[in-house]
């Protein structure tokens, strides 16, 4: 378990709503969700899974999960619109302090991943979005598809990327977002059916005066 005394949020434990979108990814999504419940030490979170019109047995399987909210759509409306639907329901039902987008192919390897992200955002009111280190199964670092600054990443094989710094953008693969930021700039741009919505959201975040960590 994470040692609460080391985290700035310890006394209030902000509520986090984690959003995952699934489309015909039964096994991959199952691995993600099972990993989430096993590898998350932060106590105050809810999970919403939106099924984007799958025609496999995803809905049948995830309907049996008692510790998540399942939203079922009849067709694939795209990633950004699906996330927005899940955000809206999460906010209306739970009124969380944070929303966290997680891609359905993520496997969690550190129990304190959410503790650490919340801790960074709680340090400053204008810290609006936080990401984390992502690796492929072979251990290779997964970098943002759009590299705004060639000096943003340290090209050094000895570096494990275990640092905290302000950046211009993060990947939507794992994105923790302060609800006050969402209140200010709105939801994802639904003109993006799939892809680039994360970069767009980061650009809008910076324009609004919030920081990305």
């Amino acid at each position: 378990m994470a040692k609460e005394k080391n985290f700035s949020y310890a006394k209030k434990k902000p509520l986090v709503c984690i959003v995952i979108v699934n489309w015909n990814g039964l096994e991959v999504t199952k691995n993600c969700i099972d990993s989430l419940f096993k590898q998350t030490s932060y106590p105050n979170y809810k999970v919403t899974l939106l099924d984007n019109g799958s025609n496999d047995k995803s809905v049948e399987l995830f309907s049996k999960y008692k510790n998540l909210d399942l939203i079922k759509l009849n067709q694939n409306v795209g990633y950004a619109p699906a996330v927005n639907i899940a955000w809206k329901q999460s906010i209306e039902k739970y009124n969380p302090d944070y929303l966290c987008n997680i891609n359905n192919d993520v496997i969690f390897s550190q129990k304190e991943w959410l503790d650490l992200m919340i801790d960074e955002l709680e340090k400053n009111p204008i810290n609006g979005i936080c990401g984390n280190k992502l690796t492929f199964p072979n251990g290779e670092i997964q970098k943002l598809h759009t590299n705004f600054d060639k000096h943003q990443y340290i090209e050094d094989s000895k570096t494990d990327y275990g640092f905290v710094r302000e950046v211009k953008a993060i990947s939507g693969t794992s994105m923790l977002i302060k609800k006050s930021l969402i209140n200010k700039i709105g939801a994802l741009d639904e003109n993006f059916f799939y892809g680039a919505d994360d970069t767009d959201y980061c650009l809008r975040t910076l324009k609004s005066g919030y920081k990305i960590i």
Side-chain angles (χ1 to χ4, degrees), residues 64-151:
K64 299 176 183 178
Y65 279 64
K66 297 180 180 180
N67 45 357
L68 63 79
D69 294 332
L70 178 63
I71 302 174
K72 297 173 285 186
L73 300 185
N74 294 325
Q75 61 180 353
N76 186 344
V77 298
Y79 181 77
V83 167
N84 287 346
I85 292 170
W87 278 12
K88 185 175 185 294
Q89 176 170 305
S90 297
I91 291 172
E92 290 177 350
K93 185 173 182 178
Y94 297 110
N95 189 30
D97 301 287
Y98 291 93
L99 287 168
C100 184
N101 292 345
I102 297 293
N103 280 7
N104 71 321
D105 59 351
V106 168
I107 298 295
F108 299 89
S109 61
Q110 181 182 20
K111 284 185 177 294
E112 295 84 9
W113 68 274
L114 189 52
D115 304 80
L116 294 166
M117 294 171 79
I118 293 171
D119 190 56
E120 291 304 323
L121 291 188
E122 287 290 303
K123 288 177 180 179
N124 192 325
I126 63 172
N127 288 350
I129 295 179
C130 187
N132 50 24
K133 183 170 72 173
L134 304 169
T135 63
F136 293 105
N138 65 0
E140 180 183 349
I141 297 293
Q142 180 180 337
K143 298 179 183 179
L144 187 64
H145 54 83
T146 302
N147 191 348
F148 288 92
D149 183 351
K150 65 181 180 180
H151 300 297

Side-chain angles (χ1 to χ4, degrees), residues 152-165:
Q152 180 174 335
Y153 301 108
I154 303 172
E155 301 297 342
D156 183 349
S157 60
K158 295 181 181 180
T159 300
D160 67 357
Y161 290 77
F163 51 72
V164 177
R165 64 170 59 173

